[in-house]
Amino acid sequence: MEKSQICENIEKVKGKIESTCKKIGRDSSGVMLVAVSKTKPVSYIQEALNCGQVEFGENRMQELEDKIPEFDGKKISWHMIGNLQTNKIKLIADKVNWVHSIEKLKYLKEFEKRSNGNKINALIQVNISGEKQKGGVEPEDLAQILESATNFENVTVCGLMGMATFTDDPEDVRHEFKLLKNLFDEHQEFNSGSVKLRELSMGMSNDMEVAIEEGATMVRVGSEIFGARNYD
Ligand SMILES: *Cc1c(COP(=O)(O)O)cnc(C)c1O
């Protein structure tokens, strides 16, 4: 991937978001593009930043911790989107803006404890694919977490995240996105205190259009912006 191509790719992805929103009568300002920069060098992030991209996602806590200080003082927003470990949450809790991958109440408590005044937008990851290795809480356990998350000061539980089954034809996973949207609607009754469900993080490079059609407010796009990865 040539660095100069990154801006072009971002414009292409934004174009897809716009045309999908237009097709279904949604306002494209209601879909946040998170550029997933995992495994990619800091220079790629800088390039994307230069062309106006502000939201960046990483899936490893150590990598995120290493990259954040490279952009000190810049207008940039960081999203943790991968597996969490309790003992590493302290590495990022005082500087990350969004966490998409909360699977346990324990993680929310640890972010709150280690936030040091940093405001964190947290999303509960829900298992919508039925594949255990993708992680996430089971749909029937969602209510219990939300009920216990209403009293945080620095953490806001502001939505749900889901990862669909990998597939060649994104139509195959439309029902998984529908499931997450339904859970999102059904659990609005749990909004209270620090629980304010308004974001739906779903859709990646290969299925973002279907996800937007089904109500995504955030899409997490990596390879289509930064090129293919050798590993995740
Ligand atoms: C890597 C990753 C993405 C982006 O995947 P692409 O297919 O490269 O767009 C999105 N979400 C999560 C949780 C990821 O780990």
Side-chain angles (χ1 to χ4, degrees):
M1 165 89 37
E2 291 290 322
K3 271 208 291 172
S4 58
Q5 213 170 337
I6 290 172
C7 289
E8 220 174 278
N9 292 346
I10 289 174
E11 288 313 310
K12 220 184 289 174
V13 171
K14 283 187 184 162
K16 273 195 191 177
I17 294 173
E18 296 235 339
S19 60
T20 307
C21 284
K22 202 163 171 194
K23 193 169 101 184
I24 57 168
R26 281 186 64 187
D27 184 341
S28 63
S29 68
V31 181
M32 179 194 286
L33 172 59
V34 180
V36 177
S37 47
K38 63 188 184 192
T39 81
K40 301 298 182 184
V42 161
S43 62
Y44 282 34
I45 299 173
Q46 185 59 54
E47 190 69 19
L49 202 56
N50 290 347
C51 37
Q53 178 63 29
V54 175
E55 313 290 336
F56 292 90
E58 292 283 339
N59 74 332
R60 291 207 163 92
M61 286 192 276
Q62 186 64 61
E63 188 173 345
L64 182 54
E65 192 207 8
D66 291 343
K67 282 174 172 173
I68 288 176
E70 301 281 339
F71 299 90
D72 258 359
K74 303 261 170 70
K75 188 182 180 308
I76 189 164
S77 176
W78 292 104
H79 299 243
M80 176 63 201
I81 63 172
N83 282 339
L84 301 171
Q85 287 160 271
T86 311
N87 63 338
K88 286 190 183 167
I89 286 175
K90 60 177 178 292
L91 301 180
I92 59 168
D94 61 341
K95 32 192 175 284
V96 73
N97 306 90
W98 294 81
V99 183
H100 294 232
S101 40
I102 298 288
E103 301 179 294
K104 295 173 185 171
L105 182 63
K106 187 168 76 164
Y107 294 157
L108 288 173
K109 288 182 174 166
E110 185 67 9
F111 272 103
E112 172 76 18
K113 183 175 164 193
R114 305 286 184 173
S115 59
N116 196 20
N118 181 41
K119 299 293 180 194
I120 301 160
N121 293 312
L123 311 178
I124 310 292
Q125 182 174 350
V126 182
N127 181 3
I128 54 172
S129 69
E131 297 170 37
K132 273 278 174 285
Q133 71 273 20
K134 284 219 170 65
V137 307
E138 296 304 321
E140 60 270 27
D141 298 331
L142 185 55
Q144 202 186 350
I145 290 196
L146 296 176
E147 278 173 341
S148 312
T150 56
N151 282 322
F152 293 119
E153 198 174 317
N154 293 316
V155 172
T156 304
V157 176
C158 60
L160 304 181
M161 183 272 240
M163 280 179 91
T165 307
F166 292 119
T167 168
D168 291 333
D169 182 358
E171 280 302 329
D172 294 345
V173 295
R174 185 180 290 277
H175 68 282
E176 296 179 12
F177 294 136
K178 273 193 204 297
L179 168 64
L180 194 61
K181 172 67 159 88
N182 284 339
L183 290 168
F184 177 78
D185 291 341
E186 286 165 14
H187 287 78
Q188 291 297 320
E189 61 177 294
F190 292 92
N191 287 341
S192 167
S194 47
V195 174
K196 301 178 173 122
L197 299 180
R198 45 188 153 78
E199 304 289 346
L200 206 42
S201 169
M202 57 186 196
M204 315 188 351
S205 291
N206 69 328
D207 56 17
M208 53 176 284
E209 284 140 309
V210 175
I212 292 168
E213 286 171 10
E214 298 303 331
T217 66
M218 309 176 84
V219 290
R220 310 176 309 270
V221 179
S223 46
E224 196 148 308
I225 292 174
F226 295 112
R229 291 175 301 271
N230 298 324
Y231 63 98
D232 272 321

